[in-house]
Amino acid sequence: MLDTAEIERLNAEPVNSAQTRRPLYEARRKIFPKRADGRFRRFKWIVMLVTLGIYYLTPWLRWDRGPFAPDQAVLVDLANRRFYFFFIEIWPQEFYFVAGLLVMAGFGLFLVTSSVGRAWCGYTCPQTVWVDLFVAVDRLVEGDRNARIKLDQAAWSAKKLVLRVTKHTIWLLIAVATGGAWIFYFADAPTLLVDLFTGQAAPIAYLTVAVLTATTYTFGGLMREQVCTYMCPWPRIQAAMLDEHSLTVTYNDWRGEPRSRHAKKSIAAGQKVGDCVDCNACVAVCPMGIDIRDGQQLECITCALCIDACDSVMDKLGKETGLISYATLSDYNFNMRISTNGGACGISPDLVRTTKGKLSPGLAHFHLAKIFRPRTLVYFAAWSAVGLLLVYGLLTRDRLQVNVLHDRNPQFVRLSDGSIRNGYTVKLLNMIPEPRTIIVTLQGLKGAQMTVVGIDQPEDRAFAVEVEPDRLKTLKVYVRQPLENVAAQSQPFNIVVEDKSSFESDVYAATFEAPGGTK
């Protein structure tokens, strides 16, 4: 166990502080975050590996859909206007599924933010993930915080040039891999990879890789926290999503103040001393360059690295962890009332501790049940409802559709035998990657027969039509009704299509036009 005076005080100043706000157009001040160790840092490593693994590896996954469809598990096939996601195939007219997923993402973001604050920003936002990766490259090449600061301030030398070129080269390789991985979602990945390196890929592929390489390099390597502070709208929107029961990263000044670097001397002098030793460890590890002790700030992405840094210091001092922790505003206010005796005095650390020096059991602490409150339950219910509707839509959607367009000019033709004939354009949509034999049947319309152009078969009320996999088949169909059976000027009837092997069917209600009257 160390004394407070033995804890190293880091020379770290916040880029933006509550007392001194920097001008909006001030040149960027570089941030050199120190490496943090702890449960939240380990969790961020896991999230980074999982998310990057999903992004880079997904285009290479295979999924057997048979010989008539691509075998890439996730593919946005713009040429054929299809979206494949493992066993799911989405057509352009089914874009409402994508819209539903976006609605779910919105409700999910509201749910997460109202429950645990900006967890999306701190752990899974692409900007956060790639910046984490770029900072890891910084440490690998140039060393930890102090070494990077020293290198940045040093005069140019051969060593500095080699280190900087190495770092930026790795940044560019990551950026190129990021842009390359994106285009693999839009074409067969192995084929496109060969085409890229042999110069046979489409110009748009090279342009997309170049644009994404530039944005990844710039946002992840050069701008970093500025993207979150100045470009992203979410920090400004999140206030509407938070309430007094939302978890946020909080400096618990009700036990940390007054700060002291020399606790023993201060106590001997009869001064009140809090747990904070003003070591600046929380400032040094912050990738946004803020001081969490200044309170809630727009720049804070709640990555919780300051919690890890502070907990490690508290462990060294033999004190309870949690001086910086995830806490709700209601819990913070409750504990602050205890530490100030209901506002009758300033913060008094003695009021939150027992006679044995332990934190009082009467203090408010977060527990999981606090997440389940009306607001989060409403968000969860809305999120679940949209998800269930999407699942229901997927399970019950038709994979066989028919559409019929009546000839407009002329609407009908009187044949030499006196019978009336109407022409129709019938479109059969086979929405599965397998060939089908579709039975097209005329239902209703007494005495009527039909013929299909291109099918060598006498007039009948039903025809078998071969439809290719994942294709739209257009037929020209003529329906003829004897004059004596014409009952009205406009008669309703149905065109029924059916796949006998899968028992799928669809019906289109059409009309038969005639001069009118019964003959």
Side-chain angles (χ1 to χ4, degrees), residues 216-247:
T216 303
Y217 176 84
T218 303
F219 291 167
L222 305 179
M223 295 184 66
R224 296 189 177 178
E225 76 288 344
Q226 290 186 310
V227 174
C228 304
T229 303
Y230 300 115
M231 296 176 63
C232 181
W234 188 240
R236 294 153 181 84
I237 298 173
Q238 65 160 341
M241 300 292 104
L242 297 175
D243 58 30
E244 65 274 16
H245 302 294
S246 302
L247 277 178

Side-chain angles (χ1 to χ4, degrees), residues 190-412:
T191 303
L192 182 56
L193 180 64
V194 174
D195 290 345
L196 280 173
F197 283 98
T198 57
Q200 299 177 12
I204 189 63
Y206 294 105
L207 179 61
T208 303
V209 172
V211 170
L212 291 179
T213 297
T215 53
T216 303
Y217 176 84
T218 303
F219 291 167
L222 305 179
M223 295 184 66
R224 296 189 177 178
E225 76 288 344
Q226 290 186 310
V227 174
C228 304
T229 303
Y230 300 115
M231 296 176 63
C232 181
W234 188 240
R236 294 153 181 84
I237 298 173
Q238 65 160 341
M241 300 292 104
L242 297 175
D243 58 30
E244 65 274 16
H245 302 294
S246 302
L247 277 178
T248 56
V249 174
T250 305
Y251 168 61
N252 296 308
D253 51 359
W254 50 264
R255 62 167 280 200
E257 301 295 325
R259 307 173 197 175
S260 175
R261 290 288 299 156
H262 304 282
K264 290 183 178 180
K265 292 181 180 180
S266 299
I267 293 173
Q271 299 174 352
K272 296 179 179 180
V273 175
D275 288 344
C276 180
V277 296
D278 204 20
C279 63
N280 286 338
C282 54
V283 181
V285 300
C286 180
M288 299 298 294
I290 64 172
D291 188 342
I292 192 62
R293 295 171 297 180
D294 289 336
Q296 287 299 308
Q297 299 158 72
L298 176 146
E299 295 87 354
C300 180
I301 59 173
T302 67
C303 63
L305 295 182
C306 53
I307 298 180
D308 284 338
C310 187
D311 283 352
S312 67
V313 173
M314 292 297 106
D315 284 336
K316 293 175 182 177
L317 294 173
K319 297 183 178 181
E320 299 94 333
T321 58
L323 177 57
I324 301 175
S325 65
Y326 272 105
T328 67
L329 180 60
S330 60
D331 288 346
Y332 171 85
N333 288 337
F334 179 85
N335 294 336
M336 182 61 78
R337 285 193 295 271
I338 294 176
S339 68
T340 59
N341 194 21
C345 63
I347 296 175
S348 178
D350 296 338
L351 297 177
V352 296
R353 292 191 176 275
T354 64
T355 54
K356 295 183 179 180
K358 299 295 183 182
L359 287 176
S360 171
L363 294 170
H365 297 284
F366 171 77
H367 52 83
L368 198 58
K370 292 184 179 181
I371 290 180
F372 302 101
R373 58 188 193 277
R375 183 174 191 166
T376 57
L377 293 177
V378 168
Y379 286 144
F380 181 75
W383 181 84
S384 300
V386 176
L388 291 174
L389 285 174
L390 291 179
V391 171
Y392 176 79
L394 281 172
L395 295 177
T396 59
R397 62 180 179 161
D398 294 325
R399 300 288 79 197
L400 174 63
Q401 294 182 5
V402 60
N403 188 49
V404 179
L405 181 64
H406 194 291
D407 287 353
R408 297 175 64 89
N409 189 22
Q411 287 190 320
F412 61 86

Side-chain angles (χ1 to χ4, degrees), residues 106-176:
F107 279 122
L109 192 56
F110 297 161
L111 173 62
V112 170
T113 303
S114 63
S115 301
V116 291
R118 290 175 63 184
W120 160 261
C121 300
Y123 298 98
T124 54
C125 173
Q127 175 67 15
T128 297
V129 171
W130 262 269
V131 167
D132 256 2
L133 180 60
F134 275 56
V135 171
V137 172
D138 294 351
R139 293 195 186 101
L140 177 66
V141 176
E142 298 178 349
D144 204 0
R145 181 175 184 272
N146 291 339
R148 298 203 305 278
I149 293 175
K150 183 178 179 181
L151 180 68
D152 188 68
Q153 295 173 346
W156 281 98
S157 63
K159 179 181 178 182
K160 182 174 181 177
L161 181 62
V162 169
L163 291 176
R164 285 296 166 88
V165 169
T166 301
K167 180 180 72 173
H168 285 268
T169 300
I170 297 175
W171 282 5
L172 281 172
L173 290 176
I174 294 173
V176 171

Side-chain angles (χ1 to χ4, degrees), residues 37-47 308:
D37 292 304
R39 49 185 174 143
F40 292 107
R41 177 64 268 181
R42 288 190 293 271
F43 180 66
K44 281 175 66 68
W45 285 128
I46 293 172
V47 171
D308 284 338

